[in-house]
Amino acid sequence: MSESNEIKTLRERLDFIGIDAESRGLLAELRTTIAGSIGSALDHFYKKASTNAHTRRFFADERHIESAKQRQMRHWDNIAKGTFDETYVQGVSEVGKVHARLGLEPRWYIGGYALILEQLIGQIVERRWPSRFGRRGSEQLSREIAVVAKAALMDMDYAISVYLETLEAERKAVADAKAEADQEQKAALKAFAAAFKQLQDGDLRARVDHGLPGDFAGMAADYNNAVAQLETAVGDVASSITSIRTGLGEINTASNDLAHRTEQQAASLEETVAALGEVTQAVNETAEGAGKAQQVASGAR
Ligand code: HEM
């Protein structure tokens, strides 16, 4: 089975700080000493945590403190085993989740380690001190180691707090920018929706307010331009239709005139034909009369 991601990142941490097999062995050798010291070290810590103005609210009563202490003791034993395996990962993850749920700021959590470490270091040095003589030397050494450890932890806590505050400020800036963009988008959508509705109702004067924020101002200008062009085009079409209508009326009048004139011409043609008929008849009659007259004249000769 492949190594879990959590174990992999834990190994990277251990490797970075140099907790190798040898160091783990050292820890395991100290396991009994730690087990013998952790109880009183934690009493010292909980005394401070349950009276400090910032941390006392986390504990309801003595039983609550005792329960937290028992669980913390089990966790320290997990550390002292030096195995740093899945069980350790599970335990330390639970510790993180519990304190996050409580809303305990890292500064108090890290400060807690400073207090516990101070006690553990003192007791380890004392228990491991080679001779009964020179006790004062052991006290001096443990105080020196403890103050360095505490200063380092406090320094780490301070920088982590700044780090978290910076991240929080960045997160807030992003959230604020998003909220502002959402608002702008909402306002733009409202303005465009109103203009579209006006357009849908056939009102080509529909325009979007130029004063829209950010990129939406450009979109509004483009939209307004397009609708203005549409308005002009539709205006042109309307005036073309009017002139077509006028033209058609004129054509109609002209064709009526033409029809009338044709009718008149046909009538006068008819009259002409009739008149011609009459003339022809008269001519015929005249010719006939002339013929007869000629006959009469020749007969008379
Ligand atoms: C001022 C600092 C701290 C405060 C105020 C605090 C407070 C608490 C409280 C109130 C609980 C009990 C949660 C519940 O109601 O079940 C708890 C659980 C615990 N705390 Fe702390 N704690 C502090 C620091 C630490 C430190 C430095 C350690 C070091 C290992 C630690 C280890 C644990 C563990 C192992 C548990 C049990 C987690 C579980 O439920 O598995 N705490 N803590």
Side-chain angles (χ1 to χ4, degrees), residues 264-275:
Q264 275 184 339
Q265 278 169 1
S268 65
L269 195 65
E270 225 172 87
E271 279 168 21
T272 312
V273 170

Side-chain angles (χ1 to χ4, degrees), residues 45 58-59 64 71-72 94-95 99 102 104 108-109 113:
F45 158 69
F58 294 104
F59 303 100
H64 195 193
R71 284 189 273 174
Q72 192 172 161
E94 200 49 41
V95 172
H99 293 104
L102 289 170
L104 179 71
W108 308 119
Y109 182 67
Y113 274 99

Side-chain angles (χ1 to χ4, degrees), residues 236-287:
D236 289 352
V237 170
S239 74
S240 301
I241 287 174
T242 310
S243 50
I244 289 171
R245 197 177 286 155
T246 313
L248 279 176
E250 283 166 2
I251 291 170
N252 192 30
T253 315
S255 83
N256 280 348
D257 285 357
L258 188 65
H260 188 64
R261 278 206 303 278
T262 313
E263 223 171 79
Q264 275 184 339
Q265 278 169 1
S268 65
L269 195 65
E270 225 172 87
E271 279 168 21
T272 312
V273 170
L276 267 177
E278 279 168 23
V279 170
T280 312
Q281 199 182 344
V283 169
N284 282 345
E285 281 170 7
T286 312

Side-chain angles (χ1 to χ4, degrees), residues 129-171:
W129 197 251
S131 87
R132 285 169 177 274
F133 306 105
R135 265 278 137 83
R136 285 192 52 202
S138 87
E139 280 167 18
Q140 179 65 16
L141 179 64
S142 58
R143 273 208 303 274
E144 283 167 1
I145 299 172
V147 76
V148 173
K150 283 166 85 174
L153 285 168
M154 201 277 297
D155 188 63
M156 173 179 78
D157 146 47
Y158 205 101
I160 286 180
S161 297
V162 173
Y163 190 95
L164 293 177
E165 278 159 22
T166 309
L167 288 181
E168 175 56 21
E170 280 169 14
R171 191 204 58 77

Side-chain angles (χ1 to χ4, degrees), residues 172-241:
K172 196 176 169 303
V174 170
D176 287 353
K178 191 183 174 302
E180 198 181 314
D182 283 353
Q183 275 235 315
E184 289 180 5
Q185 194 174 335
K186 229 173 158 180
L189 276 178
K190 204 174 154 198
F192 274 102
F196 290 159
K197 173 83 181 66
Q198 218 179 327
L199 206 58
Q200 194 185 17
D201 293 343
D203 187 353
L204 292 179
R205 289 165 308 170
R207 297 288 185 275
V208 175
D209 185 7
H210 277 98
L212 282 182
D215 291 344
F216 294 109
M219 277 170 70
D222 288 349
Y223 169 84
N224 288 343
N225 257 339
V227 177
Q229 281 176 23
L230 188 68
E231 194 183 8
T232 312
V234 171
D236 289 352
V237 170
S239 74
S240 301
I241 287 174

